[in-house]
Amino acid sequence: RLLGKYQLTIYRNNIMKQRLLNCSLLLLGITLLLSTNLYAQPSQRMNDTLTEKSAQKETPKLETIYLKNGETIKGIIREITEEYYAVESASGFGILQIPKDDIMLITFPRNVINLDRRIGIGYMQRKSTVKGSHNEYNYVSDQVSIKSFFDPDYFSELLVGFGQTNDQDDKVHEVFSADVRLAYAFKRTHNMIMYSGGSLGYLNVKDPDNNIDDSGTRIMAFIGVEVFFNSLPNFGFSGEISLGQQHVGDTESTELSLTSFPAFSAHYYF
């Protein structure tokens, strides 16, 4: 049966949605398999905060006490009374009783985020431009993401996405992408990770009305920040910018994501 132009567009959209659903289910299955066999931890992991694991024996965090005479004392506060602070000196002088009237400021250490051996499943949206053999397409790509930290500072990520755009003649162009990324968290605080890295990906651009089916590759460098909230400790929200070079069909192009808007993503960490 011949389909009208509007019906054909709906049919193609349904096919794209089905492909995205299938990929999402596949990624979910891979994630569950990895989390069961490679990252099995006690049940308390789900309720664990994003701070350093208590099992990791580290140097105790030290308070810093600034005195009014200009001196600085580092140590652990063991007792607080109405008259003084009892501080175990980090310099080996034992317990010091410091009168409260002599203290100008006390700073307390804060633990940093640790996502070691945790897996995140999420969604990323990115506005992109791709050049095929005949035309240039601007599109929004919806990507399913699976992110895996294999130590506190390094993570890998797999992105699978679909995007489509309509040109001036209302013709539908379809873009499929798959990217593998590796990144380094160069700065970690109690609620934020700053990271940078690179990716290698595959692109496929289809223009059925013009019988175009182009494939190619892209390589990208990116920098971003992921933020966590105390009320949602297992959720991370990211924004990033990227610079990439891609080759599709007979053309090459350079893309800077900052020219449109940075990519946005959200992940839930198991």
Side-chain angles (χ1 to χ4, degrees), residues 61-235:
K61 303 295 183 179
L62 303 177
E63 287 82 28
T64 303
I65 302 173
Y66 299 89
L67 303 182
K68 293 179 180 179
N69 63 5
E71 294 183 7
T72 300
I73 298 175
K74 291 183 178 293
I76 301 174
I77 297 176
R78 297 300 188 185
E79 182 183 2
I80 301 176
T81 69
E82 294 182 356
E83 298 179 354
Y84 63 84
Y85 283 83
V87 180
E88 182 180 349
S89 171
S91 302
F93 296 109
I95 303 295
L96 305 177
Q97 293 184 355
I98 305 174
K100 289 186 175 180
D101 292 338
D102 294 342
I103 297 174
M104 179 177 64
L105 177 68
I106 300 177
T107 60
F108 297 88
R110 305 189 72 171
N111 291 326
V112 298
I113 292 175
N114 185 357
L115 295 174
D116 185 20
R117 296 190 177 275
R118 298 189 68 172
I119 295 177
I121 296 180
Y123 163 81
M124 175 179 284
Q125 185 180 83
R126 180 191 302 276
K127 186 175 182 181
S128 301
T129 300
V130 62
K131 293 183 179 180
S133 300
H134 295 76
N135 296 295
E136 178 178 305
Y137 310 106
N138 296 310
Y139 69 99
V140 174
S141 178
D142 296 309
Q143 298 175 303
V144 177
S145 166
I146 174 173
K147 183 187 293 186
S148 176
F149 278 80
F150 42 88
D151 77 10
D153 296 323
Y154 289 91
F155 68 85
S156 61
E157 185 175 11
L158 173 64
L159 292 169
V160 177
F162 293 97
Q164 63 181 27
T165 181
N166 292 51
D167 60 17
Q168 296 178 351
D169 298 326
D170 202 31
K171 296 179 179 179
V172 177
H173 311 294
E174 303 166 354
V175 181
F176 168 82
S177 64
D179 297 89
V180 177
R181 315 201 316 166
L182 181 65
Y184 168 66
F186 59 86
K187 176 68 174 179
R188 293 186 292 136
T189 69
H190 69 284
N191 68 342
M192 182 182 68
I193 294 176
M194 298 181 67
Y195 60 89
S196 62
S199 68
L200 180 65
Y202 166 81
L203 290 172
N204 179 258
V205 180
K206 291 185 178 180
D207 184 353
D209 295 304
N210 294 318
N211 294 320
I212 297 173
D213 189 347
D214 289 335
S215 297
T217 59
R218 68 178 171 194
I219 185 171
M220 302 182 71
F222 55 87
I223 185 169
V225 59
E226 186 167 15
V227 179
F228 299 82
F229 298 96
N230 292 333
S231 58
L232 298 170
N234 292 318
F235 282 93

